Amino acid sequence: AQTVTQSQPEMSVQEAETVTLSCTYDTSESDYYLFWYKQPPSRQMILVIRQEAYKQQNATENRFSVNFQKAAKSFSLKISDSQLGDAAMYFCAYAMIQGAQKLVFGQGTRLTINP
Amino acid sequence: DVKVTQSSRYLVKRTGEKVFLECVQDMDHENMFWYRQDPGLGLRLIYFSYDVKMKEKGDIPEGYSVSREKKERFSLILESASTNQTSMYLCASGYTIRYHTGELFFGEGSRLTVL
């Protein structure tokens, strides 16, 4: 069974600084998707960024980028120029390519932005 | 914009009561999911459905059942609520992963307290 592990329950960063959230996963599949989702306080979970395992290039979305290390099964999220609105729970998730898109989630990392 | 609506944001029920959590999506998604979110455990899949009247167990189905009579609606049922079912319940929907991005769209969540 696939598993996703986020070893940092909480992180904090100064506004305008850069922070990296860690995620590791375990799978025997060679092709899959990885995601970072953001859950702001009392608001809906939204997708931040997505990576397809067959693509070697790391995904980027504005201030958000990932460091995807397939061999190490590592998928970290880097947030540059942190803003107060980035404060949220961040979840790393894995999905197989085939079948229904069941996402397997990590435990989550609560990110605090200090002004 | 995709909208996933959960019928109740907050519920308080007594042990032994039957509880219905309703979820409606407006994007004609084939797949719908119920997750349970607990601190330190992340999101765990309870049940999912890939078509009307079709359902599959997730990782923690015990004590729950589901119903999908119409494509846009997916209900989670607690036949006899227990205190260990006190949690946040998240509904999500999405297209079949093979043909789309794999992104799931989430509702705002239903926080259930069982006394």
Side-chain angles (χ1 to χ4, degrees):
Chain A
Q2 293 84 12
T3 58
V4 177
T5 302
Q6 294 176 249
S7 58
Q8 306 155 316
E10 296 184 350
M11 293 280 286
S12 64
V13 63
Q14 291 295 127
E15 194 175 2
E17 297 287 302
T18 295
V19 64
T20 298
L21 308 184
S22 301
C23 173
T24 59
Y25 59 94
D26 189 26
T27 183
S28 58
E29 302 290 326
S30 60
D31 205 6
Y32 45 86
Y33 293 125
L34 294 166
F35 307 85
W36 278 98
Y37 276 85
K38 171 185 178 181
Q39 186 182 42
S42 302
R43 292 177 59 189
Q44 281 164 296
M45 185 114 62
I46 57 173
L47 179 67
V48 175
I49 199 164
R50 169 180 170 269
Q51 175 80 42
E52 295 151 357
Y54 66 88
K55 290 186 178 179
Q56 293 189 345
Q57 187 172 5
N58 289 325
T60 62
E61 287 288 341
N62 300 312
R63 297 183 295 107
F64 298 86
S65 62
V66 299
N67 183 4
F68 173 49
Q69 301 288 329
K70 190 172 184 179
K73 295 181 181 175
S74 170
F75 183 62
S76 61
L77 174 70
K78 185 172 83 172
I79 306 174
S80 304
D81 186 25
S82 298
Q83 300 176 1
L84 295 178
D86 294 334
M89 282 290 291
Y90 286 83
F91 291 96
C92 178
Y94 163 100
M96 289 172 59
I97 293 290
Q98 299 297 325
Q101 62 198 117
K102 294 186 291 180
L103 264 61
V104 178
F105 286 86
Q107 299 87 341
T109 297
R110 183 174 301 280
L111 178 64
T112 301
I113 311 297
N114 300 314
Chain B
D1 280 353
V2 175
K3 195 156 188 183
V4 179
T5 304
Q6 294 184 228
S7 55
S8 305
R9 291 292 305 274
Y10 301 94
L11 303 95
V12 179
K13 298 293 182 180
R14 299 228 174 256
T15 301
E17 280 193 82
K18 191 169 186 177
V19 181
F20 291 88
L21 299 179
E22 302 282 334
C23 176
V24 177
Q25 51 98 358
D26 66 355
M27 278 299 293
D28 203 35
H29 288 154
E30 298 92 354
N31 301 324
M32 296 189 74
F33 304 81
W34 276 105
Y35 284 90
R36 171 175 171 161
Q37 181 179 358
D38 298 290
L41 297 178
L43 279 71
R44 293 177 291 166
L45 181 63
I46 304 171
Y47 266 98
F48 70 98
S49 169
Y50 51 91
D51 202 351
V52 176
K53 297 191 186 294
M54 306 302 288
K55 61 185 179 185
E56 282 197 24
K57 294 179 180 178
D59 300 316
I60 52 165
E62 296 79 17
Y64 304 94
S65 62
V66 291
S67 172
R68 193 169 181 199
E69 296 296 318
K70 293 185 178 181
K71 191 174 185 179
E72 68 270 19
R73 188 179 298 270
F74 192 36
S75 303
L76 180 69
I77 303 154
L78 288 67
E79 294 289 342
S80 178
S82 63
T83 55
N84 62 13
Q85 292 178 311
T86 291
S87 188
M88 170 71 86
Y89 292 88
L90 296 178
C91 176
S93 70
Y95 292 114
T96 300
I97 196 169
R98 184 181 306 175
Y99 307 114
H100 293 275
T101 64
E103 179 180 359
L104 285 188
F105 298 87
F106 285 84
E108 291 185 319
S110 298
R111 184 167 295 282
L112 172 66
T113 301
V114 182
L115 302 175

